[in-house]
């Protein structure tokens, strides 16, 4: 099991913590942001391959912002892949 932390930017959430096993997301904790949205995204991402989650969440925007918490989650996973592979 690998643990990874990411500090998102441009969104309400302040930190994202991941537990990843063999490129499968086992757990995500989002600190700050919208609790309902975070819980929904976390539930949908658990036990999913990293690449699947990136593909589905990358590029999602929040209102007039250029990013969103789901997009930041995808960016965090891309950074994780670059740093660990």
């Amino acid at each position: 099991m690998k643990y990874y932390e990411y500090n998102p930017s441009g969104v309400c959430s302040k930190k994202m913590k991941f537990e990843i096993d063999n490129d499968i997301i086992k757990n995500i904790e989002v600190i700050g942001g919208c609790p309902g949205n975070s819980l929904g995204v976390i539930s949908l991402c658990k036990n999913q391959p990293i690449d699947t989650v990136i593909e589905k969440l990358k590029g999602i925007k929040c209102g007039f912002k250029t990013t969103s918490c789901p997009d930041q989650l995808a960016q965090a996973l891309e950074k994780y892949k670059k740093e660990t592979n």
Side-chain angles (χ1 to χ4, degrees):
M1 185 85 61
K2 294 181 183 178
Y3 300 93
Y4 187 71
E5 289 189 12
Y6 181 77
N7 296 316
S9 62
V11 295
C12 299
S13 59
K14 303 299 178 204
K15 185 175 289 276
M16 296 177 177
K17 298 179 180 183
F18 301 87
E19 292 178 20
I20 300 170
D21 189 24
N22 293 320
D23 285 344
I24 302 294
I25 299 167
K26 294 300 182 181
N27 195 31
I28 304 169
E29 179 184 1
V30 177
I31 299 166
C34 305
N37 282 340
S38 294
L39 291 173
V41 170
I42 290 167
S43 179
L44 292 169
C45 294
K46 277 187 182 177
N47 298 312
Q48 296 296 311
I50 289 174
D51 290 334
T52 299
V53 172
I54 291 170
E55 181 182 317
K56 290 183 179 193
L57 300 182
K58 187 174 181 178
I60 292 175
K61 294 178 175 40
C62 182
F64 295 107
K65 295 178 183 179
T66 58
T67 190
S68 66
C69 289
D71 181 57
Q72 288 293 297
L73 195 150
Q75 290 183 40
L77 293 171
E78 286 181 324
K79 187 175 179 190
Y80 166 81
K81 283 182 63 173
K82 285 180 186 174
E83 291 177 3
T84 59
N85 291 332

